[in-house]
Amino acid sequence: MSAAPAVTFWFEFASTYSYPAAHRVGALAAAAGVPVVWRPFLLGPVFAAQGMTDSPFNIYPVKGAYMWRDLERICDAQGLPLTRPGAFPRNGLRAARIATAALAAGAAWAPDFVRAVYHANFAEDREIADPAVLARLLTGLGADAADWQARAETPETKAALRAATDEAQALGLFGAPSFTIAGADGGVELFWGNDRLEQALAWAR
Amino acid sequence: MSAAPAVTFWFEFASTYSYPAAHRVGALAAAAGVPVVWRPFLLGPVFAAQGMTDSPFNIYPVKGAYMWRDLERICDAQGLPLTRPGAFPRNGLRAARIATAALAAGAAWAPDFVRAVYHANFAEDREIADPAVLARLLTGLGADAADWQARAETPETKAALRAATDEAQALGLFGAPSFTIAGADGGVELFWGNDRLEQALAWAR
């Protein structure tokens, strides 16, 4: 039996449905025997390319109202706490740069950091754009906050996050979370949404 | 054990994801012991209220490209034929009026007619706005085409379809398919999307 190809998990810290996805992708992928590649990217440029300068959940408030209720049901079923954030969407740029640096360095706590940022935003209603909030999350994971916040702001890290966002657009991503699987034929299969995680894993297998 | 409340299945004939939903809602609901109320409505006024004068899949073509691939995977898994229609979205007004009249009259073939219209649009790439196409579908089901096409254009039927669309908007629907379940407390639970059918049935139970 050949090893299953990896599923790339594309996430953005402002994305509501990425919150439950980040909390279940690791366990479900492990159970399926599928490796996961965690890839932060930025939705802002992706939405801007579609002519949107805000979250579609704010542009289309009827859809937004549904999303919050739907997310509540999903979090309830998953046993995840949810507090509707006082600000939405929050700017996840700094957090995405930290995650980019940590994942590039192979830091074992990187997925925990990702989940911690989502928890801060969507369970505790904290301002994830605030460096002090991010520093506390890093410290809580035993990471050197000052060191990682400096690494996050290097030209290399900034370029890597821009490249991830460019790659996401080239792959046809238009929202988060998304999952991609590279095929043997050179093509890439795209799945969009927390509710497509199971299908993406089945595709990889 | 008290009977499960009904799930109302809201559909629009131009809606791509309503096609697989229409083909599975009956069997899944029967297996779950949940009654289904079939309710055609029109997405045009719903989208217009959100400031959209075309399908979001045309307004956001990157999302549209994904939708066609996603629909292909869904139809494959369900064993449904799919041909990308030469025109999208097609005007489903006449078909929706026929379905409204047939459902109001309690015609046993009404769900079959709904599925036949979706099949014509998305499997056979036929123009469902064409009265001749609709007449053949009715005849194929053993219904009197001229009679039902006349009933479809009465003021009563037109008003009933308008009322359904108004009710859909009042319930916070913003797309199709959608599923609603009336709660004992007077509230209504809304689920959006073919991929929420199982959750809607579980909620009703």
Side-chain angles (χ1 to χ4, degrees), chain B residues 16 19-20 70-82 122:
Chain B
T16 51
Y19 167 43
D70 189 46
L71 187 66
E72 189 174 49
R73 289 189 302 237
I74 290 167
C75 288
D76 276 355
Q78 219 171 306
L80 286 178
L82 175 68
F122 294 113

Side-chain angles (χ1 to χ4, degrees), chain A residues 93-117:
Chain A
L93 176 62
R94 285 197 182 92
R97 285 179 178 161
I98 295 170
T100 298
L103 289 161
W109 48 265
D112 288 328
F113 173 75
V114 173
R115 288 184 285 261
V117 174

